[in-house]
Amino acid sequence: MNWKRKVNETVGGLTGFRFSRVQGTAAAVPEHAAATLPARPAAAADELVRPPADPEHDRLVAPVFVLSPVRSGSTLLRVILNAHTRIHAPHELHVRRLTVGFGTSLAEKAMDALGHNQADLEHLLWDRLLHRELVRSGKSIIVDKTPANAFAYKRLRACWPGARFIFLLRHPVSIATSWHEAAPDRRDMDAAIADALRYMKAVQRARTALTGLTVRYEDLTEDPARETRRICEFLDVEWEAGMLEYGGETRFVKGLGDWKDKIRSGAVQPGRELPRREDVPAALKEICLAWGYAA
């Protein structure tokens, strides 16, 4: 390490600033700015999205996606499923946010010669990530439960034509209330209702367009054995009683799903009481009725 680098490291440690050469001139740059990630490539345009040309050779056959709003109990369902000896359900993966760029026109030309456009390459990346996680787990089925996937169900279906979908529902008022309680300093109840409703509508659009299994959070917490048997039948695996005691080596990652004390207890806890009909705000009445809840 030369003396200039030593000085730069010392200054950075003491002040939070480092010197960076800009057009031949040394300038002080905040340390946090130096670590800023470069802009990621824009996601592929919708018109590029298409099914895989050779799904039997370059795709997982039937990954499982839990499509649900925020605060609907998806982390609980994830850890229950992950406790099964054949099912791997890692933390939220956010694969739809992984994009690729060609870098140069020659790279784009080379991929075009192979028959790949940008969307194809994104799908290959997503599939490889899930496949790697599945192989490392030693299990045979992978489940992703990222709530934002509801906004991208068309991409998921295009990437994996054989994908299976589980729709996890919860009373809309309970969802909005829990979303507000998760960060009351960042969103009041009205903001929580509006934000959570975006997810609910996305899930409803997916339910209308796709086939799959619908599970209600209230049913899962009231009779977890019955509901997990339904899920196992849908996934074509034997039910295992150990799914209901999901503690053990389960790991929770803050920001990638629920991590609070209730979920960390290792056992299914009772859900909150259903809201009264008169407590349903006007903004949530339509989705309540669509999901079979009194409004």
Side-chain angles (χ1 to χ4, degrees), residues 70-71 176 178-195 199 254-257 259-260:
V70 292
R71 307 305 298 177
S178 181
W179 192 225
H180 163 63
E181 292 173 350
D185 57 326
R186 294 207 305 267
R187 49 184 171 261
D188 60 21
M189 189 60 186
D190 288 340
I193 289 173
D195 194 30
Y199 286 86
K254 184 176 180 180
L256 297 176
W259 72 93
K260 301 298 179 62

Side-chain angles (χ1 to χ4, degrees), residues 50-101:
R50 59 191 180 185
D54 194 11
E56 293 185 3
H57 291 91
D58 62 13
R59 290 292 189 280
L60 291 167
V61 176
V64 180
F65 295 94
V66 175
L67 299 185
S68 67
V70 292
R71 307 305 298 177
S72 59
S74 60
T75 299
L76 174 63
L77 179 55
R78 174 186 80 77
V79 293
I80 289 175
L81 293 177
N82 193 56
H84 194 286
T85 58
R86 289 188 55 195
I87 301 173
H88 178 49
H91 59 68
E92 296 174 7
L93 298 177
H94 295 272
V95 294
R96 66 181 283 256
R97 296 300 190 186
L98 301 178
T99 60
V100 301

